[in-house]
Amino acid sequence: MEAVMSVDQIRKIYAQMRATQYQSLLDHLIKAAVSYARIRVDWQLANQEKRREMDDLRSRAHTAFIDACNILSRNMGNAGEDNSWRIWIGENRQSIGDFACYLHCLLGIVAR
C-alpha cells in the first residue's frame, strides 16, 4: 500500500503540472480528474445494484484519467519540462485514482 499524499505534496505536484506549455492537455487532465472523482463518490454512496451498473463507467473514467496523466507527462518530458510529478503519483491504479480525488479537493479549496 502506498502512502497517502500530504496537501503540500499535492500542491507541489499541481504547481509542476501548471508550469507546462501544454495547457490544453492539463485542462483535459483536470476535467478527467474531476469527472472520475465525482463518479467515485457517487459509486461510494450507491447501493450494490447501482454500483454494478456504474462499474464500467467508473473504470472507463479511471482509465481516461490515467491516460491523461500519461499523455501530459510524456509531452512535458519530450519538451524538456519537469514531469517528475508523474513519478510521485506512481503506477498503482488505486493511488492514481486517489490522486484524482486529491486534485479535485485541492481545486475546490483553491476556488474559494
Side-chain angles (χ1 to χ4, degrees):
M1 175 184 243
E2 297 189 26
V4 174
M5 290 185 183
S6 71
V7 173
D8 286 338
Q9 287 172 314
I10 303 302
R11 286 181 188 271
K12 287 176 186 174
I13 290 169
Y14 184 53
Q16 284 182 343
M17 293 171 133
R18 281 194 333 257
T20 187
Q21 64 182 312
Y22 299 102
Q23 291 302 306
S24 64
L25 293 178
L26 176 60
D27 290 346
H28 179 72
L29 182 149
I30 290 168
K31 288 175 184 170
V34 170
S35 176
Y36 173 69
R38 191 173 297 134
I39 293 167
R40 191 165 165 177
V41 170
D42 290 344
W43 187 90
Q44 176 62 33
L45 298 174
N47 63 32
Q48 289 296 330
E49 181 181 337
K50 185 68 175 167
R51 283 182 177 186
R52 279 190 294 277
E53 293 172 13
M54 296 174 69
D55 273 341
D56 186 53
L57 175 64
R58 185 174 60 100
S59 182
R60 283 186 285 124
H62 193 182
T63 298
F65 175 66
I66 294 169
D67 289 346
C69 289
N70 291 337
I71 290 167
L72 178 60
S73 175
R74 184 171 45 250
N75 279 276
M76 289 177 73
N78 288 341
E81 297 177 352
D82 181 3
N83 66 342
S84 60
W85 59 267
R86 185 60 187 87
I87 294 168
W88 277 88
I89 64 174
E91 296 297 327
N92 177 281
R93 278 184 69 88
Q94 184 175 355
S95 296
I96 297 169
D98 291 350
F99 177 71
C101 294
Y102 292 138
L103 185 56
H104 181 259
C105 179
L106 177 67
L107 293 169
I109 291 168
V110 168
R112 64 180 168 171

